[in-house]
Amino acid sequence: MPELFPLSPVHYVAAPLLAAFLLPLVAKLSRSFIKILPGLTFLYVLYVSAVLFPHALQSPIIEQIAGWAPPLGINLYYGPMAGLFASLFSALGFIVWLYSLTQMKQEPLDRFYILLMMLVAGATGIVLTGDIFNLFVFMEITAISAFSLTAFLREDDKAEAGFKYILIGSLASTFVLLGIAVLYSYTGTLNLADLALSMEKVPLSVRVIVFGLFLVGFGIEAEIFPLNGWAPDAYSAAPAPVSALFAGITVKAALYALARVTILLFPFAGSMALISILGLVTLVISELAALHQKNLFRMLAYSSMGQVGLAIAALGLFTAEGVYAALFAMINHAIVKGMLFLAVFAMAGGSANLDNLNGMGRKKPVLSFMFTLGAFAIIGLPPFSGFWSKLSVLTAMGQTGNYIMIAIVLATTIVEATYYLRATGRLYLSEGSPVESKTPLSAIAAVAVLAAGILWIGFFPGSIDEILTAGAQDLLDTAKYTEGVLKD
Amino acid sequence: MNIMTIIGMALTTQGALFLLLGAIGIVRMPDMYTRMQAGTKATTLGAMSFILGIGFMEPAWLLKTILIVVFIALSNPISSHALARAAHRSGIFPLSRENIDLYKRDNQEDKS
Amino acid sequence: MKKLLATFLLGFIGFYLYTAFAGVPFGESKMKVGKDYLETTVPKTGAVNTVTSIVVNYRGFDTLGEVTVLFLAATGLGAILFGMKGKPEDKHREPSSILTTGAKALFPIIVLLGAYIFIHGHLTPGGGFQGGTIIATGVLMLILGIKKFHANHALLSIMESLAGITFVVAGILGLAFGKTFLENILPLGTPGQVFSAGVIPIIYVAVGFKVGAELAGVLDTMMSTTRGEE
Amino acid sequence: MDITGIPFFLAVSFGGAFLAYLLHFAHRFLRNAVALLTVSVSAALLFWLGDETFSIEMGGFILTLGKTPYSLFFAGIVALLAVPTVLFSFTYMAKEERPAMYYLNLLITIAAMYGILFSLDLLSLFIFWEIMTWSSFLLTIHKGGNATKAGVKYFLYSAAGAYAILFSIVILFNMSGSLLIEDVARSFVLQNPLMQLMLAGTLLFGFSVKAGLMPMHGWAPDAYAESPAPFTALFSGALSKMGIFGMGMVLYQIFLQSPFSLPVRELLAWAGGITSALATLRAIQQTDAKRLLAYSSVAQLGYIVIGLALGTPLSMMAALFIALLHGVFKAMLFFAVGAVYFRTGLTDLNELRGLIRRMPVSFLTVLMAIISLANIPPLGGFVGKWLLYESLIQSDHYFLVIVAFFSSTASFLYVYRLIFSIFLGQEEKEFEHVKEVPFLTMQLPMLALAAVTFITGIFPGIVLAPISSALTYLGFPIYHDMWSMSMLFNEWGNRINLLAMISVIGTVFLTGFTILSLYRMRRTRYVTTKDIHTSGEVPTENENLTYAINFYQPFERAVYPVLSKSIRAWIDWIGRSVSEFGDFLRHIYTGDGQTYAWYVVLFLTFMLAAGSWLL
Amino acid sequence: MDGLFQRFAKDKEYHVRFVFSWIILFAIWMALTSSLQIQEVLTGVITVGIVASFTWKNFTTKGLHYLHPQRIFYILLYILVFLKELVKSNFHVAWIVLHPKLPISPGIVRFPTRLKSETAKLILANSITLTPGTLSVDIKDNMYYIHWLEAKNMTDEEAAQSIAGPFENLLIKIFED
Amino acid sequence: METFYYIIGGILLLALVIAAFRFFQGPTAPDRVIALDAMSIILTAGLVMLALVFQRFIYIDVALIYSILGFMGIVSIARWMEKGI
Amino acid sequence: MIYYIVSIIVMLIGLYAVLMKKNLIKIVVGLSLIDSGTHLLLVAIGFIKGGTAPIYSEPGLTADAMVDPVPQALVLTAIVIGVAVTAVALAMVIRIYAQHKTLDIRKIRSLKW
Ligand code: NA
Ligand code: NA
């Protein structure tokens, strides 16, 4: 059957956009559309993933927008890595939607779903685009959705968190924009592939400055220490489904941007080592800071920062194994942390003091079980997904002879285990809070899908091996990237 | 150089001078209201004359310049009024040797 | 002490930024793609205004994003300020009748100017964003000048939705016609005329509506949460 | 699937675990049946296990499974304890909450232990190791409350150990490009000696944590005391032996050729000795039966480490023999204490007394176990201890002999306390209605294990034969004479007829003890011992005048200085410091958005400065 | 249906007001484009139609009779008078500003107006403001408050005569007959 | 003609500088606003002149928009000062 | 060159406000200033001496005599984004003020550590 709209990567952005613009209209017809339309949208982009991703694994799909060949026009680069992230984002989006169906009750719901869809679409745009200014635009789409969602709930401290996020996030966008301005003024182009080939026009000293600007800009969104002050507040203030997306999507997109830009434009040994070290510092500080959190969401937030630090440390190796491991760690973190946020919210509600977990093992055994599973996966216990990702990080570090890094990662894992097991232990305390409420099936199903992912990857780590390998190659093979984009 | 151009240049020159005069007025006048009187309005008139003059110098543009002039004539007094009123209501009163401020008096009567 | 440190750090950053730009000769051409745009805009896009052809055509994807950003800001603002009410008005806030009358008289003119600007986006400086902003300015004037003015949010919402849909559909039509997303599918016409440049004016009119509606909505939301109801 | 293959074996073990879990929701009986069947079938399958190795790729790593004589011996220990443990759980756990989770975790733990043993490469060993750790952690916290604390502690110590192991594995893998133990061993000898020392050191450290070797034993008493009794039997009896297994593997399959091998082993032997001595002293102080047994376990593991570290054929034999025997008698003790708890709800030695007539089978079990523990013939313990002394003397470790002898003697003090406080003494009114535990599910496991101690004591060859093949596998020169069940060499080359000696000593002892016990039993009468007071004096409320309290107080005073300076305090200090540091560190996040903006600006400045400085 | 007719009856200048708005706005459009191209004019017709359709209510209260020739005559007259006053007072202010001694005696005076139409009031206020020396500070009901560079103690009527004198009568003729 | 532009331009610039003086001096907020208003008017005029100088009709649109924005700015500030918003 | 310096200084003033001012509104204004500086900088990059607006509205205009249109297009986008962010930031400020009755950033620290 000839398709009316041949599927292409732009559907990842166009479909949610159309849905977002439609939502206010259909909401006037029937309020139930508010919930249905986003689900259909996420389902559609999942379908796009299912069709396109296998192709991308064979050879990258390069799509021109508005019919202009790069560098004149903006292009989308849907390679294995972008495909992986886009598919992951779509899947997480769908799961979070499923979860929100019953768990998200705060009005205005239409606005919530618009922001939610655009958070996902923006992050997808970041990984798809082949143009650095377009990347900036998508970064802003993601950021504004994220800012607004952070302050979405009405409780006292949400706007405070939102303000901090917006304050630091604005600095991020400024620095990225400045970096773009410098690059453009030297090279006269904005296309990433074209930029990569024109970098010799930029003096080395300037390249270092621009790298600094990008590192700070993307680093803020990627939660690199010490740029991540906003993160614990935002994670704990945002509605839990959104926090799940912050951990699963927003950070990942920023990391992708940082990695892509670094590898294409600033492939110095120093910049890579620096990223690794920053990742490790982030890991250590975040894990230690998480140790004393009483608020579960805050604990998960610090843990999230730590996990991202781990991925960054591996990414900074910029070896095939390192990138492989980083990708693995990111996927694992997206699934597991997403699940933890959702499970905690379903168990303890919005005010997630640690005490609220007490005795949940009896009241909500399935969710407790899944929380335990998630905790084990995050710590990196076999046979769950986290084990393989952590192992690949460690072996990647081992291959470059960074034994100290291995030791640091392992030592922080013990810290990590401490607070996660403490929380797990709470579930099985005898005395519990008196609140009893049924968790709807759709919410449990959303959590269960993620739990299944943890187990699946845990038992069949080989099933994503091909994808990760292709993704790592895709990122590292800059020649293939530039040739592919600029072939006409 | 035709007659239109000459009229235009004259208007433009006059406008420029009034703009300058307005600027001087803003600096020289003793209080906010008198500054507004001498300054803002002189500059408004100056700009109107200036822009009209340019319309005369380039007759194809005349209609559009007149439009700008009309717009300025409509809008600038309004903004001056709004500002003067706001200043007075926020407690900035005009200098007056003979203490003539009926607006203040009437406002106080209203309140009491 | 803190001030000193701040000054020092900022000086430092400023110095490096300056260093970065010091190698960029001011006022000289550094164009690469810019040159191509300038040379191809009239023959390839039919738009006389190169900036517009870049914004709507060459880099139309950015603009779609930009429109989205604004849409999201309006949406987010509505979400953040949802259900908030300001303090009751006091007498102090009443605008003068001069302002009220002036606002009513100027509003259509300003709206017309905005429309003029976005309709001629491909011909003159300006375009959807500028025109939309001017229309929103007109609404701001009404908000400032009319005591109990409230924008019709339902109408604004429908307008921005339709405009946004127009933009996306214009993009999708490119795909449907076997071309790429956002690619022009209409005849280019005679450059310099109103009906030219293919789909550019259509998109820019949509953008104008959207921006106008969104900014007006944002202003009204903000004002009504600060000024409140009686 | 080949039913003699490892995959089938593990599929049965793990599959049974999940099946039992699922069947719980059908019927309790089905669950129990499947659980028992699972452990029994795997135990039986051990006999038919083929020699083929099995490889599978997972996450880009090749995992290899296969049996070795060395692992088979340990698998025997696991199987020997697993069946009674499951059986004992049936009634015991019936009263507890979340039984489905209990069986799931228990069977996973057992399966994971088999997995560890049948791993031919380091990664699969580690995977099963961690599975064993978390499943046993979940069992430890099963009761909630204090158990959670103990469980987390256990997990953290384990994690420290496990990650030390993983650290080495990653580096070894990087060095040899293979995970197979034999490949690793081959390339290991090519590394520089300091690297060898570091890698083996971390591995040994990691394994010794599970073995509860001092100074890494801090988790053990709490975890043993807090976990459900049937599991504790397995925990202390089999699970801790996985540490021994790993240490043996590292010492004799990987590390042996290193120049540092000998000194490290010497050090380990001393660590073992000190562990046994100090833990014995600690055990003496305990007033809780399970804690007492917990410390006793640590002490016994110390013995085993001594033997393991010495590395003479004889000492190895001793170590493995005690490993098995300790598993058996410690399981008996925990079962018995569990049985008492099951009936009385108590484990406090100060509150229990005089149960001998109420719970005779339990009493007999404890009696048999402590005879074994105290190395009194004719039960198995004696053989082990004899072998150990012999090897110590042969390798000129006279001081260690003294240490071992001291702790072995001192252990009389606590086992006596155990049996005396629970079973002897005057009967209490409150225990009037206490009955003996059910036969099939609780007595039978105890009695079966008691029989094992007896049989191994009389026929040590049954155990020594597999041990010798295990040792041969590890490369020790074993000749038949050495363990020939009737003979032992002494220093002077004389042959001593062991069997005869065991029989004589055993008969004398048993007869004497039985007479003594019966005599005491007859003398028992009902008197409330808890509120004796002399005329006119009213005891204060908190003052328990029972004579069993402060049993060894004078002794405690004597050894207090030694114990107080225990290394545990240091480890606690490290944990506390890390925690406090984390608390300090999180104040970086001041909550003031402007501070965060400062961080950004400072960081940018730093990056720019560093960048241009590097240029 | 009845309601609709009633609405028309009450608001009978509905279409007239719209057309009036349309004409004024179209004139502005033509000035803006300054082009007679058919496309521009066509676009203008439509655009102005749309704009007028939702602004006419606020834009004007009366209809086409503002375009009566007599009124147009008065409007032109008004413009002339206004320009005369403008030039006159402008030079007066120039003299004041450049005078070394700043010969002013400022103050706020008031006068009542006879105008009823809001538009007329606005135009009067603007005219007063634009003629230098006087500045409309506020209108309360019918009372104008004027900041005057040469304020004197005088009655409301005197003030009305000296400030609004030239304009008021004409405005009444334009707007309120 | 060029001389004429230079002279006129010079006068505008001078006016701008003088007005800017009041802006920096204040002393009250309305004073600054007045100066700002004057400056924006002068700039509007200047923009129209630039259109003439460069002979580009389209720049007049810029001047028109600029004057609208200037007007709106002043009104907004005024309303804000009297707490009307 | 001076254009670069001026725009950078505008940015730095904004950054200074972000770092030092305690009033939330002033901080938002600081953010806007940073934006404005960046936009100025972008425009300055695109400027070409003798260049005119890149609009072929009059006959006889050639590409050589035009400034770079790209930075203008970028600035347009950046300005809109800046406005959007500022609007959302102000919304947060409104909420914060309604809840805390203060605009002092030092007092708005209920989330910390
Ligand atoms: Na941002
Ligand atoms: Na801004």
Side-chain angles (χ1 to χ4, degrees), chain A residues 304-328:
Chain A
S304 227
M305 286 148 57
Q307 290 290 313
V308 172
L310 181 69
I312 295 173
L315 185 69
L317 300 173
F318 280 107
T319 58
E321 291 78 11
V323 177
Y324 178 102
L327 288 178
F328 205 158

Side-chain angles (χ1 to χ4, degrees), chain A residues 184-204:
Chain A
Y184 180 79
S185 63
Y186 280 95
T187 61
T189 184
L190 293 165
N191 185 277
L192 269 172
D194 200 24
L195 270 174
L197 298 179
S198 325
M199 279 310 277
E200 77 272 11
K201 289 187 198 157
V202 187
L204 193 60

Side-chain angles (χ1 to χ4, degrees), chain A residues 11 29 79 109 114 116 149 219 222 243 246 248 270 278 295 300 318 323 332 359-360 362 366 377 379 398 412 456 474:
Chain A
H11 288 237
L29 300 178
L109 272 183
I114 289 174
L116 193 73
L149 286 170
S243 306
F246 283 177
L278 287 174
N295 179 308
L300 291 177
F318 280 107
V323 177
N332 174 57
M360 277 297 161
R362 237 173 314 278
V366 180
I379 297 167
T412 53
W456 177 265
D474 178 39

Side-chain angles (χ1 to χ4, degrees), chain G residues 32 35 82-83 86:
Chain G
S32 283
D35 278 356
V83 168
T86 308

Side-chain angles (χ1 to χ4, degrees), chain D residues 586-594 596-598 601, chain G residues 18-22 27 105-106 108-109 111-113:
Chain D
R586 76 197 175 105
H587 284 74
I588 292 171
Y589 299 94
T590 56
D592 184 342
Q594 212 158 28
Y596 303 153
W598 271 93
V601 168
Chain G
V18 169
L19 292 184
M20 300 300 296
K21 294 290 172 192
K22 298 302 167 199
I27 290 174
I105 193 165
R106 287 166 299 189
I108 303 157
R109 290 176 57 201
L111 294 167
K112 57 187 168 189
W113 303 327

